[in-house]
Amino acid sequence: MARKAVILPGNGAGDVFRSNWYGWANEKLNEIPDFSSTLKNMPDPITARRSIWLPFMKNELSVDENTIVIGHSSGACAAIRYAEENKVLGIILVGAYTSDLGDVNEAESGYFKDPWRWEEARSNAKFIVQFGSTDDPFLPWNEQEAVAKGLNAELKKYDDKGHFMNSTFPELINVVKEKLASS
């Protein structure tokens, strides 16, 4: 039972290894003993369709009950939807939201067409941590709060991280290490 992480980027990220904190975090996570992390360029990277991403997570990324799914933005929506129907070790959400925010591309993704099944997602994950920032220029705080409340997530609230698009993210690495030590 090798424990592992999978990093799901936000839509439109381009080469994920050079986008935001993804490549940096993947490298740091792979330094943790007896743990591995996977980061891949996703299919359909602009729209991030649920109908494409969720099967890719299962079939190509091998997300299972030993996987910590780390999702940023659209990747956070994918992580929640995946956990609604599949057991995972845990989910770590970064910049999560509940609606298409009136954006056509977000609406086409398919994540917002049916009600969120918070209880199912909660029961399929041993832990849920959410990073959110009140100064996120894309996501209203009330949407981020709704995710945290619905999932009863351990909320890491900031007021100065925006949409978490920096090149490093040490707080994330610390949370993964903490969860691995306690599970």
Side-chain angles (χ1 to χ4, degrees):
M1 277 200 301
R3 296 182 299 175
K4 60 190 177 187
V6 166
I7 300 172
L8 303 176
N11 64 2
D15 180 5
V16 294
F17 294 92
R18 293 190 308 229
S19 183
N20 301 321
W21 45 266
Y22 311 141
W24 177 88
N26 190 58
E27 184 178 307
K28 295 293 182 192
L29 291 171
N30 276 308
E31 293 173 1
I32 299 172
D34 302 315
F35 189 74
S36 65
S37 178
T38 300
L39 172 67
K40 288 186 178 181
N41 285 312
M42 299 293 285
D44 191 34
I46 303 301
T47 307
R49 284 177 186 84
R50 176 182 179 177
S51 61
I52 296 173
W53 277 33
L54 271 55
F56 185 83
M57 291 168 66
K58 183 178 280 284
N59 301 325
E60 300 297 323
L61 299 176
S62 302
V63 174
D64 62 18
E65 66 277 358
N66 297 309
T67 308
I68 298 171
V69 183
I70 301 167
H72 177 227
S73 198
S74 298
C77 295
I80 298 166
R81 289 299 189 186
Y82 191 87
E84 287 176 348
E85 298 181 0
N86 301 276
K87 290 209 175 293
V88 296
L89 182 57
I91 54 178
I92 300 177
L93 309 170
V94 184
Y97 51 109
T98 58
S99 78
D100 63 27
L101 302 164
D103 182 272
V104 173
N105 193 60
E106 292 289 343
E108 287 179 7
S109 73
Y111 294 110
F112 313 103
K113 290 184 192 252
D114 49 305
W116 293 96
R117 297 181 358 237
W118 305 121
E119 190 173 317
E120 288 90 337
R122 272 195 314 266
S123 68
N124 281 332
K126 291 186 178 172
F127 63 85
I128 302 172
V129 177
Q130 179 182 345
F131 288 89
S133 191
T134 58
D135 68 339
D136 190 314
F138 306 115
L139 308 178
W141 179 247
N142 66 326
E143 292 236 357
Q144 297 178 71
E145 274 187 317
V147 173
K149 182 178 180 186
L151 292 172
N152 195 26
E154 179 185 333
L155 180 61
K156 308 283 187 184
K157 180 180 177 182
Y158 297 88
D159 60 13
D160 61 352
K161 299 285 187 189
H163 196 55
F164 295 87
M165 297 173 79
N166 292 333
S167 60
T168 63
F169 195 177
E171 299 90 345
L172 171 69
I173 306 306
N174 291 338
V175 164
V176 171
K177 288 178 177 177
E178 169 191 312
K179 294 304 178 186
L180 289 171
S182 65
S183 66

